[in-house]
Amino acid sequence: LLCALCASFFKAVPSTTFLHTFSFAPNQPNIHHTMHRLLRNPSSSRALATAVSRAVSRSAPAVASSFSTSCGALVSSQTRSTVMPSLKSSFGPSSSGSIFQRLYSTSVEPIVINVPAMGESVSEGTVKVWNKAVGEFVEEDEVVVSLETDKITSEIRAPKAGVITELFAELNQTVKIGDRIFKLTPQAKPAAAAPAPAAEAPKKASKKAEAAAPAAAPAAPVPAPAPKPAAPAAPAAPVVVTAAGERERRVPMSPMRKRIALRLKASQNTSALLTTFQECDMSKVMEMRDEFKDEFLKRHGVKLGFMSTFVKASVNALKDMPVVNAVIEGDEIVYRDYYDISIAVATPTGLVTPALRDTDRMNLADIEKEIGLLGEKARTGKITLQDLAGGTFTISNGGVYGSLMGTPIVNPPQSAILGMHAINKRPVVVNDQIVIRPIMYLALTYDHRLLDGRDAVTFLRKIKFGVEDPRRFLLDL
């Protein structure tokens, strides 16, 4: 109640500034009554100071024990200069020091933002982009800095609206979880500056006005807001000077590229990798897509591609060959009775493999929607560790880049990976006739420690037959 009354009074007082105010205990009717009576007809800030001082002096011990900083109010600088000495004299120095220091302080405590936890296995990150510079205003929940880790790009946002006052890390600097990253001083968004006049006003000023112009010159100019720095697309690469001249550049590896290098080499060093191949006739699946693509798009809001067919064929093959869905852990084989298919997605920072969850419960439309969603998140840097976690089998489509044939590397801790390639028309023999068909080479790389050649070949042929005739999905064949 007291705060509401004060706010009503202070609206009429000019030159207002923000101040942390106080609340009295509800058992102090003398103070409430005196303030209420004063606020009904405020004559001056000095009268307010006198009334508050008298009210406080009547019950100083109780008030001193119940003072607390509680909320905000508007108060004029004149009121502040007259109220504070009176209140200090009423309370005495022993009970007023810290209370009045905060009561009449117009400063706002800055907030130091630390690097948050970004996942169970992530301990550090590299500053990739500073979206804000010192002195710039930032809205609440606006992205201030992006950190690149060995798995994802994490964004750190402003907890409150305010002005960036300090940056604790440089671009490309590595920071650990819990390190200070930037400092923010909370404040309201400043009012927009008035637009500049479109044309110069006609020169009708009198000689008196022209003479007065030099006198106004010493006024402090309004500083222009600092321009927002452009976010660099990539760190500048230092040039290495060699004996042959400036012909080499050295660029630090990104955390994600380091992680990819370590994992792929670990896969080669740990697994006994072997690759088997098959030809796949894409005629029927292409006919199905051409016939139903418009209706499929209208019904489901997503385009019908080939990837969903391969995912569905892979799930059916995994159900028939559970060893391909298993993994070696120590001296045991872990059979996983769920089907989370990882899809390899190329991004500007490296290859990521987000996982489609429980694909055995999805239809073709569900698979296409989820692939589109995860692909967009990966390309825009919005992918999360939860999206990347898990995965029992991986599909990599090098055909979108024109790859004719390749041997993909197993994504640990999985035991196999399917490689799709470009579709090219080739002469093939069908019913003893040479015909032209669209053919794709399929490659299956597998861990030979767990899978025998018979298992791998049977599994890949199962995928081939499912893609060549999608009716097998409906018949569960």
Side-chain angles (χ1 to χ4, degrees):
L1 175 61
L2 177 60
C3 293
L5 293 173
C6 288
S8 299
F9 167 72
F10 291 139
K11 287 180 180 178
V13 181
S15 306
T16 57
T17 54
F18 185 83
L19 146 81
H20 291 285
T21 188
F22 53 87
S23 65
F24 294 100
N27 59 351
Q28 303 300 324
N30 291 335
I31 294 176
H32 294 177
H33 177 70
T34 304
M35 290 295 293
H36 175 67
R37 184 174 57 187
L38 173 66
L39 295 176
R40 289 176 60 187
N41 185 20
S43 58
S44 68
S45 57
R46 186 171 298 278
L48 172 63
T50 303
V52 173
S53 177
R54 290 175 180 174
V56 170
S57 63
R58 295 191 186 101
S59 54
V63 174
S65 62
S66 61
F67 248 129
S68 63
T69 57
S70 62
C71 63
L74 292 173
V75 63
S76 70
S77 57
Q78 181 184 5
T79 302
R80 195 165 60 250
S81 63
T82 54
V83 171
M84 185 169 180
S86 300
L87 291 180
K88 280 189 175 182
S89 63
S90 298
F91 275 104
S94 61
S95 59
S96 61
S98 60
I99 295 176
F100 292 108
Q101 183 177 2
R102 179 165 177 80
L103 176 61
Y104 292 98
S105 173
T106 58
S107 63
V108 180
E109 291 294 332
I111 302 173
V112 175
I113 287 78
N114 299 326
V115 178
M118 294 176 286
E120 183 177 352
S121 59
V122 178
S123 60
E124 63 183 23
T126 301
V127 177
K128 183 179 180 182
V129 177
W130 276 112
N131 296 312
K132 294 292 180 179
V134 173
E136 285 193 277
F137 180 82
V138 60
E139 297 283 1
E140 182 176 356
D141 203 39
E142 187 176 357
V143 178
V144 178
V145 58
S146 297
L147 301 181
E148 185 181 32
T149 71
D150 57 358
K151 295 182 179 179
I152 62 172
T153 298
S154 179
E155 297 175 338
I156 301 181
R157 300 174 181 268
K160 293 184 179 180
V163 174
I164 304 297
T165 55
E166 188 174 357
L167 305 180
F168 296 109
E170 301 289 339
L171 201 63
N172 298 323
Q173 180 178 336
T174 299
V175 293
K176 297 184 179 297
I177 304 301
D179 287 353
R180 298 187 303 172
I181 189 69
F182 67 90
K183 184 184 291 186
L184 169 73
T185 299
Q187 71 174 49
K189 187 174 183 178
E200 185 179 356
K203 297 183 178 180
K204 297 182 179 179
S206 63
K207 294 182 178 181
K208 182 178 179 180
E210 293 176 357
V222 179
K228 181 177 179 179
V239 177
V240 178
V241 180
T242 63
E246 297 181 357
R247 301 177 58 184
E248 295 181 0
R249 293 182 300 126
R250 289 183 181 269
V251 179
M253 291 179 67
S254 67
M256 182 176 291
R257 177 53 56 187
K258 291 180 184 177
R259 181 71 173 179
I260 292 173
L262 290 174
R263 286 177 59 84
L264 293 183
K265 190 57 183 174
S267 177
Q268 284 187 326
N269 294 340
T270 302
S271 303
L273 300 180
L274 192 62
T275 305
T276 186
F277 301 91
Q278 283 288 339
E279 287 183 342
C280 182
D281 187 348
M282 300 291 291
S283 299
K284 291 186 178 180
V285 70
M286 292 178 70
E287 291 174 1
M288 181 184 73
R289 187 183 69 166
D290 292 340
E291 182 176 354
F292 295 105
K293 63 180 180 180
D294 295 335
E295 186 177 349
F296 189 89
L297 177 61
K298 183 178 179 180
R299 175 69 178 273
H300 301 290
V302 65
K303 293 182 179 180
L304 176 60
F306 297 136
M307 184 63 77
S308 57
T309 304
F310 277 94
V311 170
K312 203 67 179 175
S314 298
V315 171
N316 288 348
L318 290 171
K319 289 180 178 179
D320 285 353
M321 307 279 300
V323 66
V324 183
N325 209 41
V327 65
I328 295 177
E329 288 188 3
D331 295 331
E332 298 178 331
I333 300 176
V334 178
Y335 287 89
R336 296 173 288 197
D337 298 326
Y338 56 94
Y339 307 93
D340 293 351
I341 306 299
S342 299
I343 305 296
V345 179
T347 71
T349 56
L351 188 71
V352 295
T353 53
L356 307 177
R357 310 294 177 189
D358 298 321
T359 51
D360 55 318
R361 303 176 185 177
M362 293 182 174
N363 56 29
L364 296 182
D366 295 332
I367 295 172
E368 291 290 356
K369 291 177 182 178
E370 191 67 14
I371 290 175
L373 177 62
L374 292 175
E376 181 64 19
K377 291 174 67 176
R379 284 185 289 271
T380 57
K382 306 293 184 181
I383 202 76
T384 65
L385 288 175
Q386 185 177 1
D387 296 327
L388 300 175
T392 60
F393 181 76
T394 296
I395 300 177
S396 176
N397 186 6
V400 296
Y401 305 107
S403 173
L404 176 64
M405 185 180 296
T407 56
I409 299 179
V410 170
N411 180 25
Q414 300 174 12
S415 297
I417 179 173
L418 173 68
M420 300 167 54
H421 300 91
I423 301 173
N424 294 298
K425 292 183 178 180
R426 291 189 176 85
V428 295
V429 177
V430 178
N431 297 326
D432 294 331
Q433 299 292 324
I434 298 178
V435 295
I436 303 299
R437 292 290 175 86
I439 301 297
M440 175 190 289
Y441 289 128
L442 301 180
L444 180 75
T445 300
Y446 58 97
D447 187 353
H448 209 347
R449 298 178 303 163
L450 181 62
L451 277 72
D452 293 331
R454 181 193 63 179
D455 299 328
V457 172
T458 303
F459 177 80
L460 187 56
R461 285 174 58 85
K462 180 79 174 179
I463 294 178
K464 163 189 165 69
F465 294 147
V467 174
E468 288 183 337
D469 192 352
R471 295 176 300 177
R472 300 175 71 91
F473 301 155
L474 298 177
L475 301 174
D476 195 22
L477 297 176

